[in-house]
Amino acid sequence: MMREYYSITELTREFDVSTRTLRFYEDEGLVQPVRRGRTRLFRPSDRHLIRQIMRGKRLGFSINEIREIIQMYKEPPGEIGQLNLMIKRIEEKREDLRQKRRDLEETLAELDQAEESCVERLVELGVNT
Amino acid sequence: MMREYYSITELTREFDVSTRTLRFYEDEGLVQPVRRGRTRLFRPSDRHLIRQIMRGKRLGFSINEIREIIQMYKEPPGEIGQLNLMIKRIEEKREDLRQKRRDLEETLAELDQAEESCVERLVELGVNT
DNA sequence: CGCTCAATTGACTTTTACGTAAATGCCATG
DNA sequence: CATGGCATTTACGTAAAAGTCAATTGAGCG
């Protein structure tokens, strides 16, 4: 079932962030929950945005970078110049992500090696006792 | 040829960081260049460390996390308890990196989709004019 | 030796991404 | 109705990771 609204505390629990953080994202214009009186009602689309924000954070993107990425997920603009510009920006972000992927694979490889050294050392010690 | 020493400015150019940054990393104990008088002489091992630091930064790790990772690359400890602890830590970091990889792939997929939408829109506009 | 210019040091400042506290609102429940 | 329990707003605080600036220092060179 697709819920209509989520309360702020529901989402803080789901994503393990504080209310302060979600309000901060609202101030930053990353999400725009609707209001009933003064209380915020987050829609599924807001929830999805928060999911994307958390992903961006884990990848080490700043709020501004996340904002840019979120722009890219939105409806493409209607003007050709804008479209070409957006495609260029998207390509840049993808290159950025590919660099991160290379960094990630290299780091994983080095950690694999480090673990192997540890295991070898354990075997040595196990043999000698 | 394997250079013996690198000056601080050489490395700032190579890695596109400021001298302040490299000194900061030294203060943080991430690198320990030797000294001739007061000037720092960075050895190939320091250079390699800086490379690893930059990788960690691009992946969004904090200085403390980078410090931990660097510890893992070093010689494995001699004591069994320490070795097991280190293996556990390494496994945690790897899980962290695998999460980042999932985030990365998802983000790349969404960007692919976004670009496709843009291209489609371009085709529409191209057809209509 | 004196000059110059890069390098160092230390202090202070800045930016980012929230944390925290205080005062207050809203509302369901006993 | 008052009590508890979230919510909100406003304002100030803070830690991390450098940037910036000023005052020195030292090394090389003519």
Side-chain angles (χ1 to χ4, degrees):
Chain A
M1 43 114 193
M2 185 56 122
R3 304 260 319 264
E4 185 146 18
Y5 293 124
Y6 302 87
S7 79
I8 195 168
T9 32
E10 273 180 301
L11 295 183
T12 63
R13 293 204 183 99
E14 173 169 1
F15 294 106
D16 194 29
V17 294
S18 66
T19 57
R20 175 74 179 82
T21 300
L22 293 184
R23 291 191 199 107
F24 174 70
Y25 292 155
E26 185 181 4
D27 283 350
E28 291 293 311
L30 298 179
V31 290
Q32 283 137 274
V34 296
R35 299 293 182 113
R36 183 178 49 210
R38 298 205 309 174
T39 51
R40 281 162 249 255
L41 300 175
F42 292 79
R43 289 153 299 183
S45 62
D46 294 309
R47 181 159 166 266
H48 187 226
L49 276 172
I50 296 174
R51 188 185 304 286
Q52 291 173 330
I53 294 170
M54 300 318 286
R55 263 191 353 219
K57 275 190 50 177
R58 285 194 296 269
L59 289 174
F61 288 113
S62 71
I63 296 296
N64 276 324
E65 288 173 308
I66 290 174
R67 202 200 320 279
E68 287 175 27
I69 294 175
I70 284 178
Q71 288 300 323
M72 295 171 184
Y73 294 151
K74 291 191 176 162
E75 274 308 282
E79 204 243 310
I80 293 195
Q82 293 294 311
L83 272 169
N84 282 317
L85 183 60
M86 168 144 296
I87 290 175
K88 191 165 138 270
R89 293 238 178 90
I90 291 178
E91 190 42 53
E92 284 169 11
K93 267 301 166 221
R94 291 208 332 217
E95 188 42 57
D96 189 348
L97 284 167
R98 286 191 213 105
Q99 174 63 52
K100 276 189 203 292
R101 182 153 59 185
R102 285 192 294 275
D103 290 329
L104 208 154
E105 299 300 346
E106 285 173 27
T107 307
L108 269 175
E110 298 207 42
L111 285 182
D112 284 356
Q113 247 194 300
E115 182 168 14
E116 222 176 300
S117 299
C118 285
V119 172
E120 275 176 33
R121 192 92 185 79
L122 261 185
V123 171
E124 278 176 39
L125 290 176
V127 167
N128 294 338
T129 51
Chain B
M1 44 120 192
M2 186 54 121
R3 302 261 318 262
E4 184 145 17
Y5 294 124
Y6 301 87
S7 79
I8 195 168
T9 32
E10 273 180 301
L11 295 183
T12 63
R13 292 201 185 103
E14 173 169 3
F15 293 105
D16 194 28
V17 293
S18 66
T19 58
R20 178 73 182 82
T21 299
L22 293 183
R23 290 189 204 109
F24 175 69
Y25 292 155
E26 184 181 8
D27 284 350
E28 290 293 311
L30 297 179
V31 292
Q32 283 136 274
V34 298
R35 299 292 183 115
R36 184 176 49 208
R38 299 206 308 172
T39 56
R40 293 163 175 82
L41 300 175
F42 291 79
R43 289 154 300 184
S45 62
D46 294 310
R47 181 159 166 267
H48 187 227
L49 276 172
I50 296 173
R51 189 185 303 285
Q52 292 172 330
I53 295 169
M54 300 317 286
R55 259 188 358 218
K57 276 190 49 179
R58 283 193 297 268
L59 289 175
F61 288 115
S62 71
I63 296 297
N64 277 324
E65 288 174 307
I66 290 173
R67 202 199 321 280
E68 288 175 27
I69 294 175
I70 283 177
Q71 287 299 321
M72 295 172 184
Y73 296 151
K74 289 191 176 160
E75 273 308 282
E79 205 243 307
I80 293 196
Q82 293 295 311
L83 272 170
N84 282 318
L85 183 60
M86 168 144 296
I87 289 176
K88 190 165 139 272
R89 293 238 179 90
I90 291 178
E91 190 41 53
E92 283 168 11
K93 266 301 165 220
R94 291 206 334 214
E95 189 40 58
D96 189 348
L97 285 167
R98 286 192 213 105
Q99 174 63 52
K100 276 189 205 285
R101 181 153 60 185
R102 285 192 293 275
D103 290 329
L104 208 153
E105 299 299 347
E106 285 174 27
T107 308
L108 269 175
E110 299 208 41
L111 285 182
D112 283 358
Q113 246 194 301
E115 181 168 15
E116 222 174 298
S117 298
C118 284
V119 172
E120 274 176 34
R121 190 93 185 79
L122 261 186
V123 171
E124 277 176 40
L125 291 176
V127 167
N128 292 337
T129 51

